[in-house]
Amino acid sequence: MAKKVVPEEERRRRRPTRQGVVVTQQLIVETALRMLHEHGRDGLTVRRLGLALGADPSTLYRYFRGIDDLTLAIADELIGRAMRGWRPTGQWRTDLREIGLRIHTAYLAHPEAAVLTASRVSGRANEIAGDETLLGVLRSTGLPDPDVVRIYQAFVDQALAFAALDAASLALPEAARAADERVWHATYAELPAETHPNIAALAPLLVARMNDSAYPTALEMLLDSAEASIRRARRGGDRADT
């Protein structure tokens, strides 16, 4: 049975831990992020978290219902970090581009956490605020609501999908990641034109690009599609006014 979570002001430790700190929900999230970086997803356990905090492992249940609840809080923290300091310019394409790149960067700063959380929906404060902002930017273009939701879904899913894909590569052991990167040089670049004419013709370009993230390019393609939708919507509105 899930344990009851009480308000933070009622559950805050009155005394510092052995490490001289007072446990808070934010401290647990930050400690979990550090543990994910140091030990990977399998290393995030209640026992290890308690040791890292210098507190009894049961302390976690004063703040979260369990590891899955903590995972949702981590997801929300990453979104909060992505949006921290962002200010709108009033230019929808500039604003969406910056938000997308911020999300991608924030997740890649914590690869193990990104892989763990990119597919989750937390329903927490930072996520809700981010969604409200994105929808507001899209609605400011004058798009019909169905188009707003369609582009919003594609934008969010694209950002998180690339964050998970690129983070999974970063989360690999160094030797495995380096081996993957060498394949483009050692295998694809050596394929003969007689048997693989297309790969051979494009090998220098493939070697130059394929170890980098495609997210910036994919983001621009999505924004191009959104801009085309906006132009169509505005032309339709102009015709309706005549």
Side-chain angles (χ1 to χ4, degrees):
M1 179 181 296
K3 296 179 180 293
K4 179 181 179 181
V5 177
V6 297
E8 183 167 356
E9 62 272 13
E10 298 179 20
R11 63 192 181 220
R12 185 184 295 272
R13 284 175 61 100
R14 301 299 182 186
R15 294 174 298 172
T17 67
R18 294 188 297 273
Q19 297 178 348
V21 297
V22 174
V23 175
T24 64
Q25 184 169 329
Q26 183 63 28
L27 177 63
I28 293 174
V29 170
E30 291 173 356
T31 302
L33 280 169
R34 188 179 74 249
M35 291 178 62
L36 285 166
H37 177 73
E38 294 173 355
H39 305 292
R41 282 155 281 164
D42 293 338
L44 182 60
T45 65
V46 173
R47 183 185 66 81
R48 283 188 171 179
L49 191 57
L51 289 172
L53 291 166
D56 188 279
S58 64
T59 300
L60 174 72
Y61 297 106
R62 291 177 173 266
Y63 299 84
F64 300 99
R65 294 178 175 84
I67 290 295
D68 192 65
D69 196 28
L70 173 59
T71 298
L72 297 179
I74 292 170
D76 197 58
E77 174 68 14
L78 293 180
I79 293 295
R81 293 186 181 194
M83 297 299 294
R84 194 170 298 153
W86 177 82
R87 295 292 181 272
T89 67
Q91 301 295 316
W92 71 266
R93 184 164 182 144
T94 298
D95 289 345
L96 287 183
R97 180 189 296 111
E98 183 177 355
I99 291 172
L101 294 175
R102 277 171 167 265
I103 292 172
H104 190 251
T105 299
Y107 274 74
L108 262 59
H110 299 277
E112 293 282 357
V115 174
L116 183 66
T117 65
S119 64
R120 304 302 300 273
V121 181
S122 75
R124 298 185 180 221
N126 290 324
E127 181 184 271
I128 291 171
D131 289 342
E132 178 69 13
T133 295
L134 284 170
L135 291 168
V137 171
L138 286 168
R139 293 189 78 202
S140 73
T141 66
L143 279 169
D145 286 349
D147 284 340
V148 167
V149 173
R150 175 177 60 84
I151 295 169
Y152 157 80
Q153 181 190 28
F155 179 91
V156 171
D157 284 0
Q158 182 194 67
L160 294 177
F162 270 99
L165 175 67
D166 294 339
S169 177
L170 290 176
L172 287 171
E174 180 63 31
R177 185 166 73 251
D180 282 0
E181 292 176 353
R182 285 195 299 271
V183 169
W184 290 103
H185 297 268
T187 301
Y188 282 87
E190 301 300 323
L191 292 172
E194 292 77 15
T195 57
H196 300 82
N198 297 306
I199 293 176
L202 300 174
L205 295 173
L206 291 168
V207 168
R209 290 190 63 96
M210 294 305 294
N211 284 327
D212 296 329
S213 175
Y215 179 60
T217 300
L219 176 59
E220 291 301 325
M221 293 171 70
L222 186 146
L223 295 176
D224 286 344
S225 176
E227 190 162 337
S229 294
I230 292 168
R231 287 197 299 267
R232 286 195 298 272
R234 288 174 177 171
R235 285 198 301 268
D238 291 343
R239 285 195 294 271
D241 292 338
T242 58

